[in-house]
Amino acid sequence: MEEIQKAVHQMEENQTEDALQTLQEYLPVADEDEKFTIAELYIQWGMLEEAKMILKEFLQQYPKEQEIIVMLAEIHIDLEEDMEAVDLLNKIEPEDEMYLQALMQVADLYQSQGLFEVAESKLLTAKHYAPNEPVIDFALGELAFSNGEYNKSLPYYENAMEHSRVIGDIEVATRLGEAHAATGGFETALEYFQEVEEENPDIQFRYGFIANKAGRNDITMQVWEDLLQKDPYYQSVYPLLARVYEEEGMAKEALEKAQEGLKKDEFNKDLYYMVGFLSHKQGDKEAGYQSMKEAVAIDPGYKEAVLFLLENYKLDENYEDIISLLEDIQGLGEVEPLYDWELAKAYREEENFTKASEYYDSSYEPFKEDVDFLEDYGYFLVENAQATKAVAIFKEYLRLEPSNTEIEEFLERLDA
């Protein structure tokens, strides 16, 4: 045992190679207790293959020893040798002390392999032997929840919570809250989240989110503000909290919260969007446009921000900025048929009929079944002295919208 203590001391002194060498040299003369201690040290130090070799020797001598079976199975699991672990654990018999633990481990392995029905069968067998064991009910709830069977998970979680409010390091109330939320029962979900004592940022985030879904923005604001006090860099909260303030008519607080978030994360496109939207809404159009353009600069594919700019540029009759915006993002590889149509309309307003014609032509294929596009395109062709082509486009329009007598009469005059 002195050699083992020497190896432990060497490891504590960061003399890793010397420690392993000491154990390797001593192992052939070690007795059984010492070999088992060496196996435990190997596991502790992450030398799983070495530990596995020792435990396999023990298992040959003691094939029914449950502790060795479980230890060896856990090593196989850590080495991602799942089937070897399953084969070992299945050797433990119902009358054995560690049978329930083995069933639970086997179920977990089958679940990780996607064999959910087999996993459930193992857990139900375990529940038969220990009907009031909360860990088993919790595992059944977790299995159902992971499969999207939220209603099925509820009674298992409820049974588990009757016997233990915390399993492992998880408060069962959080799982019940999530399961009820997943089925649309946000009010019930909120009740469970209000019972949770753990101050975990992710759980606080979900608590606020579910309160919002349950129509309790007062709770949402309180919970998320508390979360940001504890963790100011929980960045996903800022845009959502700003939206909640905006929903509640607290425009000033909404804008301040979005601006506060940008100080923590200057590359958050959602925050730039919120600052832009709220600034524009509160009358500071220039700041609104600038922030919205920052959002698009971060992500040219951020369609919500692009559409905001488009709609407001059109209200301002600012067609030059529409052209600049859309041609810039198209130059960055953003392909969106709507942008061609918007460019066609903008160039038409700028009386650049050559460019407008190019973009109308490129928009035709994706929008040939869209009556709004066909009407717009048809009138443009008339303005551009392309009556023959306009007739064809208006005929396509009437095929889709035969009840529009105004277009029908216009077509008759045009065709004449």
Side-chain angles (χ1 to χ4, degrees), residues 61-306:
Q61 291 178 270
Y62 309 104
K64 295 290 187 180
E65 182 57 50
Q66 296 170 59
E67 185 178 1
I68 294 171
I69 291 173
V70 170
M71 285 180 67
L72 191 52
E74 287 174 348
I75 289 174
H76 281 303
I77 292 168
D78 289 338
L79 292 172
E80 298 183 357
E81 298 167 350
D82 290 356
M83 292 317 298
E84 290 88 341
V86 169
D87 290 342
L88 276 172
L89 293 168
N90 280 333
K91 291 179 180 180
I92 298 179
E93 303 291 339
E95 62 272 11
D96 293 334
E97 183 181 343
M98 303 185 80
Y99 180 60
L100 288 178
Q101 181 182 341
L103 280 174
M104 296 281 288
Q105 285 182 293
V106 170
D108 189 52
L109 288 167
Y110 281 130
Q111 182 177 350
S112 69
Q113 294 168 1
L115 301 170
F116 302 115
E117 291 183 5
V118 183
E120 183 182 37
S121 173
K122 294 293 182 182
L123 289 174
L124 289 172
T125 301
K127 186 169 174 61
H128 172 75
Y129 284 94
N132 296 318
E133 176 54 57
V135 174
I136 298 171
D137 276 312
F138 185 75
L140 282 162
E142 294 282 81
L143 179 61
F145 190 95
S146 68
N147 287 334
E149 299 175 294
Y150 306 114
N151 281 317
K152 185 176 179 179
S153 74
L154 289 172
Y156 291 124
Y157 285 140
E158 287 165 357
N159 289 342
M161 192 168 172
E162 281 183 16
H163 296 90
S164 178
R165 296 185 62 83
V166 179
I167 294 178
D169 58 352
I170 299 169
E171 287 194 56
V172 184
T174 63
R175 290 297 200 266
L176 277 163
E178 293 290 4
H180 279 289
T183 60
F186 295 110
E187 290 81 4
T188 305
L190 180 58
E191 291 174 10
Y192 279 110
F193 269 94
Q194 288 172 320
E195 294 183 32
V196 175
E197 296 177 0
E198 182 183 2
E199 293 187 356
N200 177 294
D202 293 332
I203 292 174
Q204 273 194 282
F205 175 77
R206 288 294 297 164
Y207 181 12
F209 179 81
I210 286 166
N212 174 248
K213 291 290 186 181
R216 291 297 306 273
N217 281 345
D218 56 326
I219 296 176
T220 299
M221 291 184 288
Q222 178 186 341
V223 169
W224 280 350
E225 285 288 5
D226 182 58
L227 170 55
L228 290 176
Q229 285 289 321
K230 295 170 183 170
D231 185 359
Y233 288 91
Y234 202 103
Q235 294 156 354
S236 57
V237 172
Y238 288 100
L240 296 174
L241 184 52
R243 286 183 188 275
V244 171
Y245 278 129
E246 203 268 331
E247 286 173 14
E248 293 296 306
M250 302 167 69
K252 182 173 178 285
E253 291 83 352
L255 181 56
E256 287 174 353
K257 191 56 59 179
Q259 290 170 330
E260 182 185 329
L262 277 178
K263 292 176 183 176
K264 303 293 188 296
D265 182 7
E266 60 182 321
F267 299 107
N268 188 315
K269 65 178 184 180
D270 294 323
L271 286 170
Y272 276 112
Y273 178 90
M274 285 302 299
V275 170
F277 173 79
L278 292 166
S279 296
H280 192 278
K281 186 175 181 180
Q282 293 175 43
D284 192 347
K285 293 174 68 172
E286 195 56 42
Y289 284 139
Q290 185 57 42
S291 289
M292 204 62 74
K293 285 190 284 188
E294 291 284 356
V296 175
I298 292 169
D299 179 9
Y302 194 4
K303 192 172 179 181
E304 191 174 4
V306 174

Side-chain angles (χ1 to χ4, degrees), residues 15-71:
Q15 300 170 12
T16 304
E17 291 185 10
D18 292 340
L20 296 176
Q21 182 70 27
T22 299
L23 290 184
Q24 187 177 352
E25 291 176 355
Y26 185 66
L27 188 61
V29 297
D31 61 29
E32 283 191 352
D33 288 342
E34 291 172 329
K35 285 182 178 179
F36 192 79
T37 300
I38 291 171
E40 289 180 314
L41 285 173
Y42 278 147
I43 293 170
Q44 182 182 331
W45 296 345
M47 313 293 292
L48 299 183
E49 289 290 351
E50 290 79 356
K52 184 169 74 171
M53 290 178 62
I54 297 172
L55 291 174
K56 277 188 170 181
E57 289 182 14
F58 274 120
L59 195 61
Q60 287 178 341
Q61 291 178 270
Y62 309 104
K64 295 290 187 180
E65 182 57 50
Q66 296 170 59
E67 185 178 1
I68 294 171
I69 291 173
V70 170
M71 285 180 67

